[in-house]
């Protein structure tokens, strides 16, 4: 199963395609800022039964009329099979779209980033026919953003920086700056603030930085409707109520989790029918709602929430 940190590290480029230009500038690579951008199908499967999918695929068009394809791969560990897949991606994309492809590999640990940065020659040593040269963003690629003012100027870049440095001592400073920037943003754009807060939550994974993010968000959760916020509100209710009101607390947690699912789907642009909305809101099982929330992070449609791991509709 695809992990939440994996999803966050490439999906944020879908949210803000121009982030690619700003991010790789930090490692000395300059691209013209795109004037338009749009997602393309990520399925790169050919006629053979072997399925190949890139994590995120975007077409970026620049002001001078040129354009290129950006294939983003979120890589969590070295994989000796990957360079061959990346070579396939680049060749396939160039042949299909007749546009120059750029492969961006995003890694949240230094060992993987160092591995991915190696150029791989494909062919005999006397004359390699193809060289795979991915652009790599790792923990040392982006600046440490310590002030809320700087974070507010580029929230997507701050989220990416914190996600890549989630295991570093610097992560705390970035998260504190981001938390303040998001709370200020929520006064004008609650939906955007909540959306990037969710990206940040996903991008931290199961690291100590995730616990710090919970503490930062606990200071003011009025705009933050993610799973972390819901859990923190539930914890507060647990401490503040007697055992005799357990049923009321449980109902509140169920209702909050259902609202979190709908908010996450809305922020991801997923359409929800009236029947699907009613199904989510009427569910009284926290375990089922938790499974639906997890699926909502990556689901392509609301209907996928109600299908089990074997692809069968849940009873």
């Amino acid at each position: 199963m695809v992990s939440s940190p994996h999803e966050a590290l490439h999906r944020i480029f879908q949210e803000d395609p121009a982030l690619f230009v700003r991010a790789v500038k930090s490692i000395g690579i300059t691209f013209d800022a795109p004037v338009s951008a749009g997602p393309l199908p990520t399925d790169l499967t050919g006629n053979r039964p072997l399925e190949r999918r890139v994590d995120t695929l975007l077409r970026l068009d620049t002001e001078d009329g040129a354009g290129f394809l950006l294939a983003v791969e979120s890589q969590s560990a070295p994989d000796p099979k990957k360079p061959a897949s990346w070579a396939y991606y680049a060749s396939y994309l160039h042949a299909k779209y007749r546009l120059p492809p750029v492969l961006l590999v995003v890694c949240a640990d230094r060992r993987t980033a160092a591995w991915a940065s190696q150029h791989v020659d494909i062919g005999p040593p006397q004359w390699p026919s193809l060289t795979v040269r991915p652009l790599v963003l790792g923990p040392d690629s982006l600046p440490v953003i310590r002030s809320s003012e700087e974070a507010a100027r580029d929230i997507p870049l701050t989220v990416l920086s914190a996600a890549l440095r989630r295991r570093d001592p610097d992560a705390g400073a970035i998260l504190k700056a981001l938390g303040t920037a998001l709370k200020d943003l929520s006064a004008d754009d609650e939906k955007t603030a909540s959306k990037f807060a969710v990206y940040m939550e996903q991008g931290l994974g199961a690291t100590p930085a995730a616990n710090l993010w919970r503490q930062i968000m606990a200071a003011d959760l009025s705009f933050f409707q993610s799973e972390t916020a819901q859990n923190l509100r539930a914890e507060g209710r647990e401490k503040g109520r007697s055992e005799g009101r357990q049923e009321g607390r449980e109902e509140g947690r169920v209702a909050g989790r259902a609202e979190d699912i709908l908010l996450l789907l809305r922020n991801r642009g997923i359409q929800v029918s009236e029947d699907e909305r009613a199904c989510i809101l009427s569910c009284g099982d926290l375990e089922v709602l938790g499974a639906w929330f997890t699926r909502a992070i990556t689901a392509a449609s609301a209907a996928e929430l109600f299908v089990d791991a074997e692809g069968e509709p849940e009873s």
Side-chain angles (χ1 to χ4, degrees):
M1 179 178 291
V2 175
S3 67
S4 291
H6 176 102
E7 289 292 306
L9 285 178
H10 72 86
R11 284 183 181 272
I12 193 169
F13 290 94
Q14 299 176 18
E15 188 64 39
D16 181 4
L19 172 61
F20 161 73
V21 176
R22 305 194 301 275
V24 300
K25 186 177 181 181
S26 300
I27 55 175
I29 308 297
T30 302
F31 283 84
D32 289 338
V35 293
S36 66
L40 296 171
T42 60
D43 189 347
L44 307 184
T45 307
N47 292 328
R48 296 175 60 190
L50 181 63
E51 183 177 272
R52 300 182 187 271
R53 289 182 183 271
V54 66
D55 286 336
T56 283
L57 180 61
L58 301 166
R59 172 175 176 156
L60 303 184
D61 295 307
T62 54
E63 194 170 30
D64 60 5
F68 62 94
L69 303 175
L70 176 63
V72 185
E73 284 279 280
S74 175
Q75 191 69 25
S76 59
D79 181 351
K81 297 179 181 179
K82 269 296 183 179
S85 296
W86 294 340
Y88 174 88
Y89 297 165
S91 300
Y92 178 93
L93 292 172
H94 184 264
K96 179 174 182 178
Y97 293 102
R98 297 298 177 183
L99 286 172
V102 175
L103 174 65
L104 177 67
V105 181
V106 190
C107 311
D109 72 271
R110 290 172 175 82
R111 182 174 71 95
T112 304
W115 164 82
S117 297
Q118 301 177 54
H119 296 175
V120 177
D121 292 329
I122 297 178
Q126 301 92 328
W127 195 270
S129 299
L130 185 65
T131 300
V132 181
R133 299 179 61 204
L135 269 174
V136 178
L137 290 176
D140 298 320
S141 301
L142 299 183
V144 177
I145 299 171
R146 299 182 181 276
S147 72
S148 58
E149 293 79 8
E150 187 180 2
R153 285 195 291 271
D154 198 333
I155 285 177
L157 188 69
T158 306
V159 171
L160 182 61
S161 177
L164 292 178
R165 294 178 177 271
R166 61 189 182 223
R167 297 181 180 90
D168 288 4
D170 293 324
I174 304 173
L175 292 174
K176 290 175 183 177
L178 176 64
T180 300
L182 287 177
K183 290 169 188 175
D184 291 342
L185 174 63
S186 68
D188 300 319
D189 192 343
E190 178 180 336
K191 181 177 179 181
T192 298
S194 179
K195 178 165 50 182
F196 282 111
V198 170
Y199 272 117
M200 190 70 271
E201 180 182 354
Q202 294 175 2
L204 294 174
T207 61
N211 294 327
L212 175 60
W213 183 242
R214 287 167 59 89
Q215 296 171 21
I216 293 171
M217 289 293 96
D220 181 4
L221 296 174
S222 60
F223 76 95
F224 190 54
Q225 301 296 321
S226 76
E227 185 177 22
T228 291
Q230 175 61 24
N231 289 340
L232 286 169
R233 286 194 296 272
E235 290 169 7
R237 289 194 299 269
E238 190 70 22
K239 292 177 181 178
R241 296 176 182 176
S242 67
E243 289 297 323
R245 302 189 62 185
Q246 176 64 35
E247 183 178 351
R249 287 197 300 272
E250 198 71 15
E251 291 176 357
R253 294 175 64 195
V254 167
R257 181 60 60 88
E259 290 293 343
D260 285 347
I261 293 170
L262 293 172
L263 178 67
L264 177 57
L265 292 172
R266 183 166 65 250
N267 285 348
R268 294 188 57 230
I270 303 296
Q271 297 295 319
V272 180
S273 69
E274 288 301 319
D275 288 345
E276 291 165 338
R277 179 183 178 85
C279 180
I280 293 170
L281 291 175
S282 63
C283 180
D285 190 323
L286 269 176
E287 184 175 348
V288 172
L289 288 169
W292 289 354
F293 184 92
T294 300
R295 294 173 192 168
I297 295 173
T298 57
S301 67
E304 292 185 13
L305 269 62
F306 314 113
V307 178
D308 64 18
E310 284 71 38
E312 296 294 331
E314 292 180 329
S315 57

